[in-house]
Amino acid sequence: MKLSYYLFNENVRNFNQLIIPTKVNEENNYFELQPTNEVRDFEFKVFIQRNRSKEPKWITFLERDLQIPDREEIKNTVNSFVILVKVMKDERPYFFSITGGFGFTAINKNNLESSFGLKVALNSIDTKELKAFDVRNIDLKTRQKRVLFNKGSEIGEFDLDFEQDLINLVSGKSRDQEFGTSVRGSTSSLSLNSDVTFSNLGEKCLQILDLFLSDNYKENFSFIDNIKIIKELEIVAALNQNLFNAILGRHTDNLSLAYPDMIEYEKCSSYQLRRSYKKIDTNEITLEDLFSLLDQDITFNSPLDIEKVKITGFDDANSPVTSAVSLNHFIIYQTEYEQSTYIFSLNNWYKIDHDYFARIHNQIMEVPLIENDEFLTAIQANESEGSYNERQDSEYFLCLDKRNYQVANSRSKIEICDLLSTDKHFVCVKKGTRSATLSHLFAQGSVSMALLKDSSEYRHNVVQQALDKFPEGNFNEENFPYDECTLVYAISSKNASDIRTILPFFSKVNLLHHINIIKRLGIKVALYKIPVYGENAAADDVEE
């Protein structure tokens, strides 16, 4: 029988904390079943929802134009159950819920143990019989995907990048058929097909608990511990307070704003930050704009006030392009709490594993810098990237900004780079260190270099433009000197620190991913920090 299992965290002390009282009551046709006199080796409570009827949504679509006989009798009927189980291990109580039908809607998900289903699944699935992964990356532009095989496979066949991709779900065949046949685990739930009876549910929960507490998964799947969503209310409350204090204190070191959806927000030419009737109009959302809004003496007394600040994007005609989105969806924030590192992004808190954090930092510090201070000029605080690119040394650089190449058999247009030097530096320029725009920058560089290596048409286009500008240059189409090329990510910042330390954590992860792609092509990669001068140039980089 296939059942869904949920494990509750240590905050739970009794069965009442496992369910939602407003759901599990007689008004919703939920009734508690009474046990027989048979003695069980576990404590339990069982609720069933019997014949809960509801009118289907499609009925109103049909009845507008059609006659429906006995319309009132057309109902969807739902029958569900919720089993609450308490087992003891090492003198400590553990609480489970097992559900069927729509019973999962009745449990209190605020108290669930995070990563429960994933850990049990990864500890129980045969590593050669994996069937599916659901993953998503952690960045301002979130990508989610499912990779599914019709036959059991090993993890290497799924072609996933677990430095960037976080597992939401895994499924496959169990290595122990007595435990179950098929297993599917998500962050909070476990779906298990097994020969289980009500009488041995306590034993089954203890089996599942042993798998959850086991560290055997680390042998093949240790990467799931790199980044974890934090749901514990006490920790989240403390982290939210840190974030509120950072905004209130006008901190900029570990706080930044970025667009939650680049595709939607790149259509905007202006923005409005609003709290009640107070507002700020701006051409680019920065921390300075947020701080200016706070200076208007708006109500901002607790972390709950963060989501009450709304941001709307407008087009050239001053018509709204986006809906009013809460400020917390724009915030990226890195903080420390009880000697651990946490990231706030896309309205979620994530805990970064210590070893993972250190490894990413060490790898990013190995990326070489262009240390020639005169490689590029400083950028003015309010200068556009286009204007900046056009005024670089024309004797040394060919400006390719906005000269997009139409990829054959595709709708995609690719920008080779912003600046190409006579020394074969392919320079991609980005103003500021906002994660969302950096994501686009890093992808631009790796895609361009991959096409340079793989597409003769693209390479011909690059060589022709380079030789038109530098007739004496060594740009050979047939024997292209890849080993002489360097892809340079040039990023502006007012912060005086090393650019490698300024980047947001997940931008570092993303950058390393694209660097590995480029280096496999036989092309070098380097970073260059563009200094900023002009108004507030001595301040921290508020665009971060």
Side-chain angles (χ1 to χ4, degrees):
M1 183 176 183
K2 182 178 286 188
L3 295 173
S4 295
Y5 297 79
Y6 300 83
L7 174 64
F8 291 82
N9 60 34
E10 59 186 9
N11 296 324
V12 171
R13 294 290 182 266
N14 56 64
F15 285 135
N16 293 335
Q17 294 175 275
L18 274 60
I19 56 175
I20 304 173
T22 56
K23 292 270 190 180
V24 185
N25 53 47
E26 292 187 7
E27 291 182 6
N28 286 321
N29 285 32
Y30 264 107
F31 301 91
E32 183 175 357
L33 302 184
Q34 298 305 313
T36 63
N37 293 328
E38 184 179 346
V39 177
R40 303 291 197 282
D41 59 356
F42 61 95
E43 296 182 40
F44 64 88
K45 280 191 174 187
V46 180
F47 300 88
I48 63 168
Q49 186 183 50
R50 187 169 52 197
N51 298 326
R52 173 71 189 277
S53 61
K54 189 176 181 180
E55 183 178 279
K57 291 182 178 180
W58 48 259
I59 197 73
T60 55
F61 168 74
L62 296 178
E63 70 178 351
R64 293 170 185 163
D65 301 287
L66 302 168
Q67 295 182 7
I68 304 176
D70 303 320
R71 180 196 183 285
E72 65 281 357
E73 297 181 8
I74 300 177
K75 303 285 186 181
N76 287 336
T77 303
V78 174
N79 291 278
S80 306
F81 68 82
V82 179
I83 303 172
L84 310 179
V85 172
K86 175 185 176 182
V87 295
M88 299 296 296
K89 181 177 176 62
D90 299 330
E91 300 183 353
R92 177 192 158 181
Y94 290 87
F95 290 87
F96 284 82
S97 176
I98 301 105
T99 66
F102 285 88
F104 64 92
T105 64
I107 64 174
N108 185 356
K109 295 182 175 60
N110 289 330
N111 291 326
L112 291 178
E113 186 70 59
S114 61
S115 300
F116 159 67
L118 283 179
K119 287 184 66 175
V120 175
L122 294 175
N123 274 324
S124 60
I125 292 175
D126 186 332
T127 56
K128 296 183 179 180
E129 293 290 343
L130 295 161
K131 294 293 293 292
F133 279 97
D134 280 8
V135 298
R136 64 187 175 97
N137 69 318
I138 296 297
D139 205 339
L140 267 295
K141 187 176 182 180
T142 302
R143 179 195 67 250
Q144 302 187 61
K145 63 181 178 181
R146 170 169 291 184
V147 184
L148 176 67
F149 278 81
N150 62 335
K151 293 183 179 180
S153 304
E154 297 185 57
I155 190 169
E157 299 179 61
F158 286 82
D159 193 28
L160 300 174
D161 180 2
F162 292 112
E163 290 290 334
Q164 292 196 105
D165 294 329
L166 305 182
I167 301 176
N168 283 341
L169 177 146
V170 61
S171 67
K173 291 184 180 179
S174 170
R175 67 166 64 93
D176 180 0
Q177 295 299 297
E178 292 185 5
F179 173 69
T181 53
S182 62
V183 184
R184 184 179 68 183
S186 66
T187 52
S188 59
S189 68
L190 175 75
S191 176
L192 178 64
N193 198 341
S194 65
D195 293 328
V196 65
T197 64
F198 185 88
S199 295
N200 61 20
L201 271 178
E203 179 184 350
K204 180 60 67 177
C205 286
L206 285 172
Q207 282 184 310
I208 292 172
L209 181 61
D210 285 340
L211 287 166
F212 172 69
L213 297 175
S214 170
D215 286 338
N216 290 339
Y217 70 92
K218 292 180 181 291
E219 181 177 350
N220 297 295
F221 308 105
S222 61
F223 48 79
I224 74 163
D225 292 331
N226 288 344
I227 308 168
K228 296 178 181 178
I229 293 181
I230 299 300
K231 295 294 186 181
E232 289 86 342
L233 297 181
E234 182 179 343
I235 295 177
V236 168
L239 296 173
N240 284 339
Q241 188 64 47
N242 283 3
L243 172 58
F244 172 76
N245 292 341
I247 296 174
L248 196 64
R250 311 298 199 267
H251 298 168
T252 59
D253 289 343
N254 297 309
L255 180 67
S256 62
L257 299 180
Y259 305 111
D261 186 333
M262 282 302 297
I263 294 176
E264 181 178 7
Y265 285 88
E266 69 182 3
K267 303 174 185 176
C268 304
S269 58
S270 64
Y271 304 88
Q272 185 177 93
L273 290 80
R274 177 184 291 272
R275 172 69 166 96
S276 188
Y277 61 90
K278 301 289 182 65
K279 63 181 182 179
I280 291 289
D281 294 311
T282 180
N283 292 327
E284 189 78 19
I285 299 171
T286 69
L287 285 175
E288 280 186 333
D289 297 317
L290 173 60
F291 298 154
S292 295
L293 182 65
L294 298 181
D295 290 339
Q296 294 189 25
D297 197 29
I298 66 170
T299 302
F300 200 74
N301 300 321
S302 77
L304 295 176
D305 289 322
I306 296 175
E307 66 181 27
K308 295 176 183 177
V309 176
K310 307 292 184 180
I311 299 175
T312 307
F314 296 86
D315 61 17
D316 291 331
N318 206 34
S319 297
V321 177
T322 72
S323 58
V325 177
S326 297
L327 171 65
N328 40 303
H329 290 273
F330 287 75
I331 292 174
I332 303 173
Y333 178 59
Q334 181 176 315
T335 189
E336 305 293 320
Y337 177 70
E338 293 187 344
Q339 298 183 328
S340 293
T341 301
Y342 295 85
I343 298 285
F344 186 78
S345 177
L346 292 174
N347 202 29
N348 276 313
W349 281 106
Y350 297 88
K351 183 178 181 180
I352 310 301
D353 177 72
H354 288 290
D355 293 340
Y356 178 56
F357 186 90
R359 176 161 55 84
I360 294 299
H361 173 75
N362 292 337
Q363 289 178 6
I364 208 73
M365 293 305 293
E366 292 176 359
V367 179
L369 301 176
I370 300 290
E371 297 184 352
N372 177 6
D373 292 340
E374 297 181 355
F375 180 70
L376 295 174
T377 64
I379 190 170
Q380 297 179 37
N382 298 317
E383 185 176 10
S384 69
E385 290 175 11
S387 171
Y388 174 79
N389 292 329
E390 289 174 0
R391 67 176 179 81
Q392 297 309 301
D393 183 0
S394 61
E395 296 295 318
Y396 185 67
F397 287 111
L398 165 63
C399 182
L400 294 173
D401 186 16
K402 299 183 177 63
R403 296 192 196 179
N404 293 339
Y405 173 80
Q406 179 67 58
V407 180
N409 302 317
S410 170
R411 295 182 179 179
S412 299
K413 291 185 177 182
I414 302 297
E415 190 173 78
I416 298 169
C417 59
D418 292 306
L419 299 164
L420 175 60
S421 81
T422 185
D423 291 326
K424 303 180 187 64
H425 295 103
F426 289 78
V427 184
C428 297
V429 173
K430 187 55 60 180
K431 184 179 178 184
T433 56
R434 289 172 284 116
S435 290
T437 53
L438 288 179
S439 178
H440 181 269
L441 175 76
F442 300 151
Q444 173 194 348
S446 65
V447 169
S448 178
M449 294 301 97
L451 281 172
L452 182 67
K453 193 69 179 283
D454 298 337
S455 170
S456 58
E457 292 85 358
Y458 188 81
R459 192 161 55 251
H460 173 76
N461 177 59
V462 172
V463 169
Q464 287 299 111
Q465 293 194 71
L467 290 178
D468 286 345
K469 176 68 175 178
F470 310 116
E472 304 299 323
N474 177 25
F475 291 92
N476 189 308
E477 186 175 337
E478 298 300 323
N479 188 23
F480 196 88
Y482 300 103
D483 59 339
E484 298 177 16
C485 298
T486 303
L487 191 284
V488 180
Y489 289 118
I491 303 166
S492 75
S493 175
K494 298 173 185 176
N495 194 311
S497 302
D498 188 320
I499 188 66
R500 296 170 296 188
T501 66
I502 296 170
L503 297 176
F505 178 78
F506 288 112
S507 291
K508 296 177 184 178
V509 176
N510 193 11
L511 172 59
L512 289 172
H513 167 72
H514 289 285
I515 285 176
N516 288 333
I517 292 174
I518 297 167
K519 289 173 71 175
R520 285 197 295 267
L521 301 170
I523 298 170
K524 297 184 286 293
V525 183
L527 291 171
Y528 181 79
K529 186 177 74 174
I530 303 172
V532 182
Y533 71 91
E535 184 180 358
N536 297 324
D540 289 333
D541 189 352
V542 296
E543 293 190 51
E544 293 179 16

